[in-house]
Amino acid sequence: MATPSHRAPLAELVEELLATDGPLPIVAAGEPVLRRATEPYDGQLDPALLSRFVEALRVTMHAAPGVGLAAPQVGVPLRIAVVEDPAPVPEEVREARGRVPQPFRVLVNPSYEPVGTQRAAFFEGCLSVPGWQAVVARPAQVRLTGEDENGRPVDEVFSGWPARIVQHETDHLDGMLYLDRAELRSLSSNQAMAERWTQPTPEQAATSLGFELP
């Protein structure tokens, strides 16, 4: 449990971030907060402040735009993330990647474990690593446990692209970036992605760039 001396600075940090309107600044790779395990949430923010912080994360995620955002990405070392994916993609992409719409939801103290042994590899990007994408092989299905913003337990199995999103955001809360799990030979600029690797799957990129897929 966090001590009172820990609670106050975190609440003050969040209040300071929320002092201005609009999206919050997103910190980029190289900032230590992205490389440290976050503090489990156990009431460091009072309910009203937590609600305001969650809304600020939602606004920031939408403005970026992204499909997930973790608290450390705005400089707050708390185990909280938000996800939402309207999945505005062509049908062939939807089928290949299992990308289906996900409603807005808050993940508090999440953790995940693989369900089965199947893995899927696709290009990923990150708001904290702007301008680049790389192929990451991840469990195709995971069981996510934790709580929502109201303290209700979460115990749900995710598959396809939603599984990738919750893994990516939970990894942030453990001080891990997607690049730590990526096939680095696949690392591509956004320009290269647009010009070469827009296919639903990364098979062509694997052949051309010389890396293996699971």
Side-chain angles (χ1 to χ4, degrees):
M1 177 177 291
T3 64
S5 63
H6 287 157
R7 292 174 189 271
L10 282 170
E12 291 169 4
L13 172 60
V14 172
E15 288 280 15
E16 184 178 345
L17 281 173
L18 301 181
T20 57
D21 294 331
L24 304 176
I26 295 176
V27 302
E31 290 290 338
V33 69
L34 292 173
R35 289 315 205 167
R36 295 173 182 158
T38 51
E39 186 175 310
Y41 178 76
D42 67 351
Q44 295 92 331
L45 312 182
D46 65 44
L49 183 55
L50 175 62
S51 179
R52 290 170 55 210
F53 182 50
V54 164
E55 175 61 14
L57 289 175
R58 186 189 69 82
V59 168
T60 304
M61 174 179 64
H62 287 174
V67 296
L69 189 68
Q73 292 183 273
V74 296
V76 178
L78 273 177
R79 201 167 183 84
I80 297 173
V82 297
V83 299
E84 183 179 11
D85 184 15
V89 296
E91 185 61 28
E92 63 176 346
V93 173
R94 186 186 309 275
E95 291 182 3
R97 303 179 186 176
R99 187 170 177 182
V100 294
Q102 289 295 298
F104 177 76
R105 62 194 302 167
V106 183
L107 308 179
V108 177
N109 299 330
S111 61
Y112 68 83
E113 59 183 21
V115 175
T117 59
Q118 183 179 359
R119 295 172 66 79
F122 293 102
F123 277 100
E124 279 185 36
C126 179
L127 299 177
S128 291
V129 189
W132 299 91
Q133 297 182 48
V135 172
V136 184
R138 293 186 181 274
Q141 190 173 64
V142 296
R143 178 185 179 189
L144 185 84
T145 56
E147 303 169 352
D148 68 10
E149 68 274 31
N150 297 309
R152 294 186 291 254
V154 172
D155 188 340
E156 188 172 339
V157 173
F158 290 82
S159 59
W161 207 258
R164 183 168 297 270
I165 294 172
V166 299
Q167 289 175 77
H168 181 114
E169 299 309 326
T170 302
D171 282 354
H172 270 303
L173 305 179
D174 293 325
M176 180 173 290
L177 296 176
Y178 82 98
L179 290 173
D180 299 326
R181 299 187 185 277
E183 169 52 67
L184 292 183
R185 291 185 69 92
S186 71
L187 186 65
S188 302
S189 68
N190 284 349
Q191 181 177 348
M193 289 294 302
E195 294 175 353
R196 296 176 179 274
W197 313 131
T198 59
Q199 303 85 8
T201 65
E203 274 81 1
Q204 186 174 331
T207 299
S208 299
L209 299 177
F211 63 91
E212 294 184 358
L213 297 173

